[in-house]
Amino acid sequence: MDVEPIEDGTAGFAGAVHRMLGDLVGRGAALGWVEPPSAEEVADLLDHVAAAVRAGDGALRVARLDGRVVGFGYWLRHARPTHLPHADLEKVAVDFAAQGHGVGRALTAALVEDARAAGIEVLTLDARGDNANALALYRSLGFSEYGRLPDFVAVGQRRYDKVFYMLDLRRAR
């Protein structure tokens, strides 16, 4: 498996990411959508992230297995002037068939290293409280929980906690 940095959000993988996200969201994955996103929405998202990468305010990674996209993730620097040293790991998604094979770990570890190299001091993220595998992965990589909003995430009639995690990269410098 290769995990590579991407600077162009439409570098031939937007369609693959769209298909992967559609499948994951259709299966109920906790990725921020209730219904699968449109191809245009995914392309716009990737373009937005790629622009941040080019400006030095983000990182975008894609994981490929035998040339096929099996995951992607990104972080974005906080825009508020007083928060510029910090970033939010906004999305890590792994193809359903590739889950449990270290793709999420490789993506997240690479994104953490990208954040460290960019001088990010604190990397934050939030996850749905029932996403036990993701939460365990983040804890195993040194993230710690710093807050929780009970029943904050609404998916139809169901409610889930929103869990906040952080990784203080200042300690590792």
Side-chain angles (χ1 to χ4, degrees):
M1 172 188 44
D2 297 315
V3 176
E4 58 194 55
I6 301 290
E7 290 187 17
D8 179 0
T10 58
F13 73 96
V17 169
H18 171 250
R19 285 186 295 280
M20 180 180 62
L21 288 174
D23 179 59
L24 290 168
V25 172
R27 293 172 184 262
L31 291 168
W33 290 280
V34 174
E35 297 294 326
S38 70
E40 295 78 22
E41 185 177 0
V42 172
D44 288 347
L45 170 68
L46 293 173
D47 285 343
H48 170 73
V49 174
V53 171
R54 289 189 299 275
D57 291 331
L60 173 62
R61 291 275 181 160
V62 65
R64 297 180 198 269
L65 184 59
D66 299 325
R68 185 174 72 84
V69 172
V70 293
F72 90 107
Y74 66 91
W75 60 258
L76 296 173
R77 186 182 302 272
H78 290 280
R80 185 179 285 166
T82 55
H83 296 145
L84 286 177
H86 313 300
D88 195 49
L89 182 62
E90 294 195 10
K91 195 142 335 273
V92 175
V94 176
D95 183 85
F96 184 77
Q99 292 179 7
H101 297 285
V103 176
R105 176 173 298 282
L107 277 168
T108 306
L111 289 164
V112 166
E113 288 310 309
D114 292 341
R116 190 183 320 277
I120 297 300
E121 294 178 4
V122 178
L123 187 61
T124 57
L125 64 87
D126 64 77
R128 203 167 78 187
D130 68 324
N131 197 347
N133 291 338
L135 295 174
L137 168 65
Y138 299 135
R139 283 191 303 273
S140 77
L141 291 171
F143 285 82
S144 58
E145 182 177 331
Y146 70 92
R148 181 179 290 256
L149 294 172
D151 298 328
F152 187 81
V153 178
V155 179
Q157 296 301 311
R158 292 168 291 172
R159 299 294 181 267
Y160 303 95
D161 291 357
K162 182 175 185 175
V163 184
F164 299 94
Y165 273 62
M166 64 171 280
L167 179 61
D168 190 337
L169 297 172
R170 296 171 291 197
R171 290 184 291 168
R173 290 182 199 253

